[in-house]
Amino acid sequence: MGRTDELLVDRYELRSILGRGGMAEVRDGWDTRLSRPVAIKLLHADWVADHGLRRRFDDEARAAAALNHPNIVVVHDSGEHHGTPFIVMERLPGRSLADEIAAGPMSIDRVRAVLADVLAGLSAAHAAGILHRDIKPGNVLITSSGAAKLSDFGIAKTGGGNLTRTGELFGTMSYLSPQRLTGQPASPSDDLYAVGVLGYEALTGLRPFDRDNPAATMRAILDEPAVPIRKLRPDADPGVVFVLESAMAREPQFRFGDAEAMRAALTGQPAARPATRVMTTPLPMEPASTVLPPPPVRPPGRRSRVKIALIAAAAAAAVILGVILLAVDRSPQQAPANPVAPPTTTEPTALMSVVPHPPTVPADQGDEKPPHGKKKGRHD
């Protein structure tokens, strides 16, 4: 392992290069005060004079240091050495997710575990008002135990505002959402889109869109859908496929509402659906509010049979009682076999208004002949 004689701020020893990016390089290092390995990120000399990039570099240190989460790389220190800004981070012995993907498509369970870790870290960052904006395999580091940690908040957007200038586009083209490509403000949905692309690549070994040049990128993002994951990985879990393809939807309203909802759906826990999404495939487990099918009918036991018999008897008794009450209610109003005049004090009923009857014979009209040729006297 290479070593230099120079110590950063008389404390950190610089060793071999671990990686290079557009703005900075990461070096293996050693903390001479605490005797532990560290990773040291230094801004490229070409960008030291750019005040905007220097400020962004400083904001990265503050943003990452403010996040205390097991799935986010820990920032130990930051500073400036001979005019060059640097950030000191924990040194992870494992590789990056880019190294794992380079070895070939990953297993379904491994992809699910890695993405769950990434989403847990993103959930903490978003809750703190920090957007990562550069989710990609190289920025997902793997610990010795296999857990994933999110690193490199170099172009993160914090609650303090967006440092991106007009016309600037930061991030890695292959993982940018259509909204980022068209210059719209960054949002948590853009980070979730990148996680979907990350999972697609981990499952298939391929990136979903052609990003060789800007024209091809816009055409692929806005016009051409990605090859379905099931076509490239027929063995893929339908639940995982649905989560990834939902995250990669062109319109933000069809993606998951937040990182925690996406993580819960990925791991099979009840979760909210993406906002306003018209679903054609159910989530691995539906939310508690979903109307579930009725449970299977089991043969009734002795207690159930007794309950059923009691209910049936009560229903039969109610029917019989109703019939009796109806008969009693109507019996005085039924017309006799030989219709006669009702008493003068009785109001006509509905039945009487339907069935005609002779007119009432008043008691004081004794000199009139009764109807039907009968003699005056008591009614028959």
Side-chain angles (χ1 to χ4, degrees):
M1 183 179 294
R3 179 178 299 188
T4 66
D5 295 329
E6 184 177 18
L7 293 179
L8 292 180
V9 294
D10 296 325
R11 176 176 178 177
Y12 301 108
E13 182 181 289
L14 290 175
R15 296 183 175 179
S16 60
I17 295 176
L18 298 176
R20 284 192 174 96
M23 294 193 309
E25 68 179 18
V26 179
R27 302 278 293 271
D28 186 18
W30 182 260
D31 184 345
T32 59
R33 184 178 302 172
L34 297 178
S35 299
R36 65 181 177 182
V38 292
I40 303 173
K41 183 174 182 178
L42 301 104
L43 187 65
H44 285 316
D46 295 341
W47 299 109
V48 168
D50 190 315
H51 296 292
L53 288 181
R54 288 191 60 143
R55 183 180 173 188
R56 183 177 289 111
F57 195 85
D58 293 338
D59 281 353
E60 172 187 2
R62 283 191 290 270
L67 300 172
N68 182 15
H69 193 276
N71 297 116
I72 295 177
V73 172
V74 177
V75 169
H76 296 311
D77 195 6
S78 66
E80 185 176 302
H81 183 76
H82 296 328
T84 300
F86 67 87
I87 299 173
V88 181
M89 304 171 288
E90 67 174 318
R91 174 74 165 92
L92 299 178
R95 304 182 300 170
S96 71
L97 182 58
D99 297 322
E100 287 199 31
I101 293 176
M106 298 161 57
S107 70
I108 309 298
D109 289 341
R110 178 59 179 158
V111 171
R112 184 189 287 110
V114 169
L115 295 188
D117 286 346
V118 171
L119 288 166
L122 268 182
S123 182
H126 292 171
I130 298 172
L131 306 179
H132 191 283
R133 302 201 300 174
D134 197 19
I135 304 293
K136 61 182 179 182
N139 286 340
V140 178
L141 305 183
I142 309 300
T143 67
S144 56
S145 65
K149 289 196 171 193
L150 196 56
S151 71
D152 200 346
F153 284 76
I155 61 170
K157 178 182 178 181
T158 65
N162 186 356
L163 295 177
T164 304
R165 301 176 217 155
T166 303
E168 285 183 328
L169 181 64
F170 285 92
T172 305
M173 293 291 288
S174 296
Y175 306 91
L176 297 183
S177 69
Q179 290 70 38
R180 290 287 308 283
L181 289 172
T182 54
Q184 298 180 36
S187 72
S189 176
D190 300 316
D191 281 347
L192 301 186
Y193 180 93
V195 174
V197 176
L198 194 75
Y200 184 106
E201 185 176 359
L203 276 179
T204 66
L206 302 171
R207 292 175 181 171
F209 304 109
D210 174 18
R211 304 293 179 86
D212 292 337
N213 57 74
T217 296
M218 295 303 296
R219 183 172 61 253
I221 281 292
L222 302 177
D223 300 327
E224 300 173 7
V227 176
I229 295 176
R230 293 302 295 273
K231 198 169 195 178
L232 301 173
R233 284 291 298 270
D235 64 320
D237 183 337
V240 174
V241 171
F242 174 73
V243 170
L244 297 181
E245 292 183 345
S246 296
M248 291 170 54
R250 289 188 180 91
E251 297 301 327
Q253 64 266 31
F254 295 152
R255 303 171 198 156
F256 288 90
D258 54 54
E260 190 56 36
M262 183 175 173
R263 180 178 180 273
L266 183 69
T267 56
Q269 302 172 6
R273 300 177 182 221
T276 69
R277 179 176 178 81
V278 179
M279 293 199 176
T280 57
T281 306
L283 292 175
M285 291 185 66
E286 291 293 333
S289 60
T290 302
V291 178
L292 299 177
V297 179
R298 289 184 288 183
R302 182 175 179 275
R303 183 175 297 178
S304 299
R305 289 196 297 271
V306 171
K307 289 182 178 180
I308 293 173
L310 290 175
I311 293 172
V319 171
I320 293 172
L321 180 60
V323 171
I324 292 173
L325 292 176
L326 182 62
V328 171
D329 182 59
R330 288 191 173 187
S331 58
Q333 302 170 2
Q334 299 294 329
N338 296 318
V340 294
T344 57
T345 57
T346 303
E347 293 291 336
T349 63
L351 181 61
M352 294 176 182
S353 64
V354 175
V355 181
H357 55 77
T360 303
V361 180
D364 56 353
Q365 295 181 359
D367 57 344
E368 294 183 6
K369 294 182 179 180
H372 303 291
K374 291 186 179 182
K375 294 181 180 181
K376 185 176 72 173
R378 188 177 58 181
H379 296 299
D380 294 336

